Amino acid sequence: MADPENTSSLEQLLAALKSQAGSSDRGPPPVDQWNPAHCGDIGMEILTDGTWKHAGARITRESLVRLFATILRKDADGETYLVTPGEKIIVRVEDAPFVAVRVDRVGEGREQTIVFTTNVGDIVQVSAAHPLRVEMREDEPRPYVLVRGRLEARILRAPFYELVEWSEARDGKLGVWSGGVWWELGTQ
């Protein structure tokens, strides 16, 4: 059962979000410009698969998860927070806060643009402003794309395999072009 203090903070957070909810065409609120006091920990977490939890219970309302995603911020201290003009609440993130569930491309070769869609509806074009990176973990590639601020999306296996299909070899490495930049995916 949730701690009453945590529930109250969650209700206050929801009220703040609802007052700012608007058309998705506006984009996310300017969380990078807000500097509220840290209000603590209410048991929010994001699992590796993109599942959001509060006090151990899965948040099943997609609209609520999408709303929370718009006020997520990762600070220079490496911690991730839900941020409103009046509150800043820590969110534990197992890997990346978002998951890239789909990839599309427009064009081919050097002129192509790679576009990812995340589990929370963000659309990201791979470019210098939204770089693609691949790190190795236990001899397995773990690809990411920067969504906004310091927030990344981990690219799921199926979209990554599509990138590999679109890749080309260069100096013993595989990579794809997007936004006029060649993005390395791994060795050949």
Side-chain angles (χ1 to χ4, degrees), residues 3-70:
D3 179 346
E5 186 176 313
N6 289 345
T7 303
S8 175
S9 292
L10 182 61
E11 289 170 358
Q12 290 170 352
L13 183 61
L14 289 174
L17 290 174
K18 286 179 184 177
S19 72
Q20 296 200 4
S23 169
S24 61
D25 295 338
R26 292 188 323 179
V31 295
D32 57 323
Q33 297 172 18
W34 299 338
N35 294 303
H38 185 266
C39 295
D41 185 343
I42 63 168
M44 294 289 290
E45 62 183 317
I46 305 171
L47 305 181
T48 301
D49 67 359
T51 299
W52 285 60
K53 288 187 166 188
H54 171 253
R58 184 172 186 244
I59 300 173
T60 57
R61 289 181 42 210
E62 183 179 342
S63 60
L64 186 57
V65 168
R66 285 179 180 242
L67 190 58
F68 282 154
T70 66

Side-chain angles (χ1 to χ4, degrees), residues 22 26 30 37 88 91 100 109 116 124 140 145 157-158 167 174 185:
R26 292 188 323 179
K88 180 176 170 181
V91 178
F116 287 100
V124 182
E140 290 289 323
V145 63
R157 183 169 285 155
S167 71
L174 292 178
L185 301 177

Side-chain angles (χ1 to χ4, degrees), residues 66-82:
R66 285 179 180 242
L67 190 58
F68 282 154
T70 66
I71 61 161
L72 204 59
R73 180 176 84 194
K74 185 173 183 178
D75 286 355
D77 65 4
E79 298 293 342
T80 304
Y81 301 92
L82 288 176

Side-chain angles (χ1 to χ4, degrees), residues 167-171 173-178 180-186:
S167 71
E168 60 184 66
R170 194 170 144 187
D171 300 323
K173 310 232 176 188
L174 292 178
V176 292
W177 288 94
S178 186
V181 178
W182 191 80
W183 303 97
E184 186 180 319
L185 301 177

